[in-house]
Amino acid sequence: MNFDDLKRSWNAHAQSLDTTLQLNRTTATAVLHARAATMLTRLRGWLWGEVAALAALLVWLGSFVVREWGHWPLAASALALHLGCVALMIAAIRQLHMLAGVDHSAPVVRLQRQLEQVAVVRIRTTCGAIVFGVLLWLPALAVALRDMLGADLYSVPDEGVRNWVLANLAFGVIVLLVARWAARRWGGRLDNQSLAGRALRSLGGQELEVARASLRELAEFADEDRAA
Amino acid sequence: MPRRATDSEFLDLLEPQRGALFRIADAYASNREARDDLTQEIVLQLWRAFANYDRDRPFAAWMKRIALNVAISWVRRAYRQARVAPAGQAIFELAADPRPDHSDEMAQLRAAIARLGELERALLLLHLDDHPHDEIAGILGLSTTNVATRLHRIKQRLRQHWRDPDETAP
C-alpha cells in the first residue's frame, strides 16, 4: 500500500461520486429560504439583547446614584453595580466588534483563530457575570428595595435581618467556591450543548482550556518552523 | 456593491462542485445523518456569503474555503442548528447508497483521514482533490513552504502507519 495507490482510489471515488451523486434542488432551495439562525447569528442577537438590557440598567443605576448621592451606602452599592454593568457592556460590544470581522470566506486558519478569540472573550465574560452576580446580589437587593419600596436595607436596625443578609452573602460565596470546585472536578463530563453545562464548564475552566488549546494548535499549524 | 444573487445562479454553480462538497462533509461527519446536517450548514453558509462572492474568482476555491471553515467550526464547537430541510430529505442524494464504493483502499484512506486533526484533514483533502500547493496555501492561510512540509509529514506518517498500524498513530 502506498500513497499513490490511494490517490488513484480517491480520484476513482471522486469520478464515481460525480455520476452517482445528485443535487436535490427542491431540498436545497427549501434550505436556502429557511429562516434558520446559525450559532453566530444567535450569539449576535443575544449580545445585542445584552447591550440593550445593560444600557437600560446603566441609565437606571446612574439616576439612582445621583438621587442617593447623600446616602453613601446606597450610592456606593449602585456605583458598584454600575461599574459591573459597564464592564459587561464593554465585553459585549467587544464581542460584537469581533464578530463583525468574521468572514467565512477568509482563509481557514485566520477564521478559526477569530472564532476561538471570540470564544475566549465569551467564556471570560460568562465567568465574570457569574462571579458578579453572586458577589453583588446584596447591593442589587438594597438598590432594588430602595427604588421600589423606598426601604433602606442598610439602616434596618434589626440584627436578625442583618444576620440573614450576611448569611446569604456568605452562602453565595460558598456556593460559588463549591460550584467552581465541582465544575473543575466534573465539568469534563458535562454536556457542552446546554446553557447550564456551558456555564459550569466555563466556571470550571474546561471551556477556556479547549479554546486555548485550539488557539495553540492554530498557531503551531501556521508556524513554518514547527512544520519543518 | 454586491449584486442580488438568485437561487438558480447559485445552484448552477454548486452543482458541478457537489462531489467536492460531499467529500468534505463526509470527511468531517461521523455518520450519514451528521453528514446531511453538515452539508445543510455548509450550503446555507455558502448561500449567505454568495452575495459577496467575486464572480471573477474561481468558485471551487471559494466554496472549499467556506466549506472547510464551516466543517471545522462544526466539529470544534458544535456549530449546529436544528435541521431545516424537509424530514428524510438530503441536499445531496446518492443514487447508489450507502457508498458508491466499498474498496479496501478507500476504507483505509477514509480511516487515515479520520485519524488526522481537523486542519491536517483539510490539507490532505485539498491535496487529494489535486489543488496545487499555492492554492492550498491560499485556502488555508499558510505559506506554500508550510503546505509542502506538512503534506510531506502527513504522507510519511501515513506510510509509517500502514507499515505498522499498531505502533504508530498518524
Side-chain angles (χ1 to χ4, degrees):
Chain A
M1 179 72 56
N2 63 55
F3 196 80
D4 292 334
D5 292 337
L6 292 173
K7 184 104 169 41
R8 271 193 291 277
S9 297
W10 180 265
N11 289 340
H13 168 62
Q15 279 174 5
S16 143
L17 272 181
D18 283 343
T19 53
T20 56
L21 197 66
Q22 285 163 1
L23 172 66
N24 184 333
R25 292 179 84 99
T26 312
T27 306
T29 308
V31 168
L32 302 187
H33 293 286
R35 290 179 56 82
T38 62
M39 201 180 94
L40 289 186
T41 317
R42 281 199 298 272
L43 180 56
R44 271 192 202 102
W46 179 264
L47 286 168
W48 277 116
E50 266 184 32
V51 168
L54 287 166
L57 261 176
L58 285 173
V59 171
W60 178 62
L61 286 167
S63 64
F64 186 92
V65 170
V66 171
R67 215 168 48 236
E68 299 292 339
W69 190 246
H71 192 179
W72 73 265
L74 282 169
S77 296
L79 210 55
L81 290 168
H82 199 275
L83 290 175
C85 288
V86 166
L88 290 176
M89 176 89 124
I90 289 170
I93 291 171
R94 190 173 164 209
Q95 289 170 79
L96 281 168
H97 177 70
M98 290 167 95
L99 286 174
V102 167
D103 170 14
H104 279 89
S105 62
V108 171
V109 170
R110 193 202 302 165
L111 178 87
Q112 295 304 321
R113 194 178 285 154
Q114 279 179 318
L115 292 177
E116 292 301 341
Q117 283 165 345
V118 174
V120 167
V121 177
R122 184 91 202 125
I123 293 160
R124 285 188 176 142
T125 308
T126 305
C127 278
I130 293 171
V131 173
F132 174 73
V134 171
L135 296 182
L136 291 186
W137 83 267
L138 187 58
L141 180 71
V143 170
L145 283 176
R146 177 66 161 186
D147 198 65
M148 287 187 279
L149 304 173
D152 182 359
L153 192 65
Y154 298 117
S155 64
V156 174
D158 190 342
E159 277 296 311
V161 173
R162 283 193 182 183
N163 289 342
W164 176 83
V165 165
L166 288 173
N168 269 277
L169 182 63
F171 181 71
V173 173
I174 290 166
V175 164
L176 188 66
L177 293 173
V178 170
R180 188 168 165 78
W181 173 80
R184 272 181 184 274
R185 195 172 166 92
W186 293 296
R189 296 183 207 167
L190 289 171
D191 167 27
N192 69 350
Q193 301 294 310
S194 67
L195 198 64
R198 276 205 304 274
L200 277 172
R201 281 171 56 86
S202 298
L203 194 61
Q206 288 92 352
E207 289 283 296
L208 194 59
E209 192 40 53
V210 169
R212 280 183 178 152
S214 294
L215 280 171
R216 272 197 304 273
E217 191 196 339
L218 286 161
E220 283 170 14
F221 192 72
D223 188 348
E224 247 176 70
D225 295 335
R226 282 181 188 263
Chain B
M1 177 100 177
R3 70 182 174 88
R4 194 175 164 80
T6 63
D7 306 359
S8 58
E9 185 192 0
F10 172 71
L11 294 177
D12 287 346
L13 283 167
L14 189 66
E15 186 132 31
Q17 301 301 326
R18 63 192 184 283
L21 204 157
F22 182 90
R23 287 194 296 278
I24 290 175
D26 201 31
Y28 285 93
S30 53
N31 55 47
R32 187 182 163 171
E33 196 184 343
R35 186 187 67 203
D36 290 346
D37 286 353
L38 177 55
T39 307
Q40 177 192 289
E41 287 283 348
I42 294 171
V43 170
L44 198 57
Q45 203 59 60
L46 283 168
W47 171 242
R48 284 180 180 168
F50 191 59
N52 295 318
Y53 165 61
D54 178 359
R55 268 72 169 172
D56 295 332
R57 289 176 175 266
F59 181 78
W62 176 82
M63 185 279 289
K64 283 184 186 176
R65 207 183 263 195
I66 293 179
L68 288 169
N69 267 325
V70 175
I72 293 171
S73 308
W74 193 80
V75 171
R76 289 188 164 199
R77 294 217 156 259
Y79 179 68
R80 298 153 203 217
Q81 62 195 17
R83 286 205 78 197
V84 292
Q89 287 183 25
I91 292 178
F92 295 121
E93 288 169 349
L94 278 169
D97 226 28
R99 298 255 190 220
D101 65 274
H102 295 275
S103 72
D104 285 349
E105 284 179 350
M106 269 314 292
Q108 282 201 42
L109 186 53
R110 275 211 183 85
I113 290 172
R115 290 168 72 99
L116 293 172
E118 293 105 27
L119 297 163
E120 288 189 325
R121 210 179 304 179
L123 187 56
L124 185 62
L125 285 174
L126 293 168
H127 174 67
L128 288 168
D129 274 353
D130 290 327
H131 285 276
H133 287 187
D134 58 339
E135 212 167 271
I136 298 177
I139 293 172
L140 295 181
L142 302 175
S143 70
T144 315
T145 322
N146 198 348
V147 169
T149 316
R150 289 204 172 272
L151 270 174
H152 177 70
R153 282 180 55 189
I154 291 171
K155 286 181 189 176
Q156 226 172 14
R157 270 157 51 199
L158 289 177
R159 271 196 290 270
Q160 217 173 336
H161 173 69
W162 290 323
R163 262 201 311 270
D164 195 354
D166 297 329
E167 290 289 312
T168 56

